[in-house]
C-alpha cells in the first residue's frame, strides 16, 4: 500500500498521476467557471469526475424496444387509440392468449395502410363508382381512406352517444357501436359501414396470425396460441413419425439465408 509520504511533491510515482490530473482539472475548471461557481458546486463536479465507476452499478436496458413500431399512416394519436380499442374488441385478450393490442395488430394495420396496398396501388381504379352506400371494393375511396373514415366515425358516435371518446368508452359501449357498424346501422360518407367493419375484422385477423415480418403477430404469440408451427420449410424429418409432434413456431426470418 502506498504511504502518504510517497506522495510528496517532487517524488516520481505512477500512483501520483491521478492526483496530478485532479489538480490540473481543478485548474482548468477554475478557469472555466471563472470563480463564479461556489465551492459546493465545484466540489460536486470534482466528486463526480473522479468517482470510481467500478463500484457503480451498470445500467442495462431490460425492456426490449421494438424500433419498427412507429405510426406512419395514423398521424393523429387520437385516431390510433380508437383503432387499438376497436381491434381489441374484435380480438380481445382472454384465457386463450393475448389480444389484438398485445399482438401488435394496430401497428400491422398502420403499415398496411401506409404502403401501396393502403392506396390500392395496383388495383384498377377507374369509375364509374357506386354512389349509394357502396361496399369497399366499389367505392372511390382507397383502403386507407375507408379505414380512417370508419375510425373517426366510431369516435364521433361514441361522443354523441356516451359523451366520451371511443377509447374511453366502456367495453359494452364500444361493442354496441361496432355491432351497429357491422349491421350497417351507422352511415358513413362514401362507403358502407358493414363493409368497412368487415375490412377491419379481416385486417385484425391477418395482423394476429400472419408472419411477424409484416409487423403483427408479435413474438409469434398468435401462432403459439394456435399451436401453429409457422413458416416451416419442410416436414421431412417428422412426416413418418407415429406420434403427434409439437414444435415451436418458425418465422420466415428464422431460416432465410442472410449475408
Amino acid at each position: 500500500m502506498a504511504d502518504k509520504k510517497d506522495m510528496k511533491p517532487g517524488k516520481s510515482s505512477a500512483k501520483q498521476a491521478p492526483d496530478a490530473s485532479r489538480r490540473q482539472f481543478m485548474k482548468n475548471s477554475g478557469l472555466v467557471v471563472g470563480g463564479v461557481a461556489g465551492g459546493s458546486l465545484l466540489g460536486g463536479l470534482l466528486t463526480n469526475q473522479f468517482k470510481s465507476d467500478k463500484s457503480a452499478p451498470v445500467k442495462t436496458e431490460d425492456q426490449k424496444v421494438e424500433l419498427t413500431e412507429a405510426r406512419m399512416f395514423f398521424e393523429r394519436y387520437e385516431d390510433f387509440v380508437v383503432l387499438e380499442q376497436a381491434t381489441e374488441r374484435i380480438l380481445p385478450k382472454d384465457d386463450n392468449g393475448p389480444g389484438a393490442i398485445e399482438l401488435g395488430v394496430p401497428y400491422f394495420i398502420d403499415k398496411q395502410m401506409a404502403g401501396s396496398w393502403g392506396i390500392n396501388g395496383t388495383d384498377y381504379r377507374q369509375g364509374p363508382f357506386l354512389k349509394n352506400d357502396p361496399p369497399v371494393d366499389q367505392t372511390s375511396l382507397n383502403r386507407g381512406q375507408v379505414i380512417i373514415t370508419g375510425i373517426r366515425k366510431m369516435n364521433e358516435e361514441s361522443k354523441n352517444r356516451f359523451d366520451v371518446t371511443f377509447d374511453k368508452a366502456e367495453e359494452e359501449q364500444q361493442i354496441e357501436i361496432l355491432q351497429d357498424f357491422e349491421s350497417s346501422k351507422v352511415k358513413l360518407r362514401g362507403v358502407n359501414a358493414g363493409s368497412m367493419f368487415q375490412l377491419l375484422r379481416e385486417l385484425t385477423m391477418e395482423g394476429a396470425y400472419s408472419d411477424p415480418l409484416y409487423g403483427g403477430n408479435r413474438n409469434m404469440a398468435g401462432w403459439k396460441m394456435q399451436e401453429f408451427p409457422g413458416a416451416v420449410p419442410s416436414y421431412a424429418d417428422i412426416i413418418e413419425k407415429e406420434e403427434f409432434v409439437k414444435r415451436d413456431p418458425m418465422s420466415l426470418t428464422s431460416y432465410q439465408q442472410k449475408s
Side-chain angles (χ1 to χ4, degrees):
M1 178 180 292
D3 192 275
K4 287 185 178 179
K5 64 184 179 182
D6 295 328
M7 306 290 286
K8 290 180 179 178
K11 293 283 185 180
S12 176
S13 171
K15 294 185 180 299
Q16 287 182 283
D19 195 48
S21 177
R22 180 182 179 115
R23 286 196 298 274
Q24 184 62 41
F25 176 78
M26 291 175 66
K27 179 181 178 181
N28 293 341
S29 299
L31 292 173
V32 172
V33 300
V36 175
S40 59
L41 174 59
L42 190 56
L45 288 172
L46 293 174
T47 302
N48 293 334
Q49 177 73 15
F50 290 97
K51 201 172 191 177
S52 173
D53 291 330
K54 293 180 179 179
S55 60
V58 178
K59 292 184 178 180
T60 57
E61 192 65 36
D62 295 327
Q63 186 175 3
K64 182 181 179 182
V65 177
E66 186 54 69
L67 300 177
T68 62
E69 292 189 354
R71 302 191 311 275
M72 295 185 291
F73 176 79
F74 289 90
E75 297 177 348
R76 292 170 40 176
Y77 179 67
E78 53 265 41
D79 292 333
F80 192 72
V81 292
V82 174
L83 174 71
E84 285 185 321
Q85 291 304 311
T87 56
E88 185 69 17
R89 295 289 74 75
I90 293 171
L91 183 61
K93 180 178 182 178
D94 58 17
D95 295 337
N96 295 316
I101 294 177
E102 194 171 336
L103 289 168
V105 169
Y107 285 104
F108 165 83
I109 295 176
D110 179 81
K111 287 178 170 55
Q112 296 303 309
M113 297 301 103
S116 61
W117 192 82
I119 59 171
N120 298 59
T122 58
D123 295 353
Y124 177 77
R125 298 287 293 163
Q126 296 296 320
F129 299 102
L130 293 179
K131 295 182 179 179
N132 186 22
D133 212 22
V136 169
D137 59 353
Q138 295 292 327
T139 178
S140 61
L141 304 179
N142 61 42
R143 296 185 185 94
Q145 292 169 330
V146 167
I147 290 296
I148 202 69
T149 298
I151 289 296
R152 290 178 178 172
K153 185 64 175 178
M154 290 176 189
N155 210 25
E156 180 183 328
E157 286 289 319
S158 182
K159 291 177 182 176
N160 292 338
R161 298 185 192 188
F162 314 117
D163 201 28
V164 292
T165 56
F166 187 87
D167 59 297
K168 298 291 193 308
E170 301 291 335
E171 286 189 14
E172 293 75 14
Q173 296 170 334
Q174 294 173 343
I175 291 171
E176 176 187 312
I177 293 173
L178 292 175
Q179 287 177 334
D180 286 349
F181 265 74
E182 184 179 21
S183 58
S184 301
K185 291 181 180 177
V186 177
K187 297 301 177 185
L188 296 180
R189 179 176 295 181
V191 65
N192 175 267
S195 186
M196 176 270 164
F197 178 80
Q198 184 177 354
L199 175 62
L200 179 61
R201 182 169 54 193
E202 290 173 358
L203 286 168
T204 301
M205 294 299 109
E206 290 172 3
Y209 300 118
S210 61
D211 195 287
L213 75 89
Y214 297 108
N217 191 12
R218 187 183 289 153
N219 299 322
M220 296 184 283
W223 288 349
K224 293 174 183 174
M225 183 165 51
Q226 300 291 341
E227 297 186 354
F228 178 66
V232 179
S234 173
Y235 292 93
D237 57 330
I238 62 172
I239 195 169
E240 295 185 357
K241 292 184 179 296
E242 295 291 337
E243 69 278 11
F244 178 79
V245 177
K246 183 178 179 181
R247 58 195 310 172
D248 294 331
M250 176 182 293
S251 172
L252 280 172
T253 59
S254 302
Y255 65 86
Q256 283 189 342
Q257 185 177 8
K258 296 179 176 64
S259 58

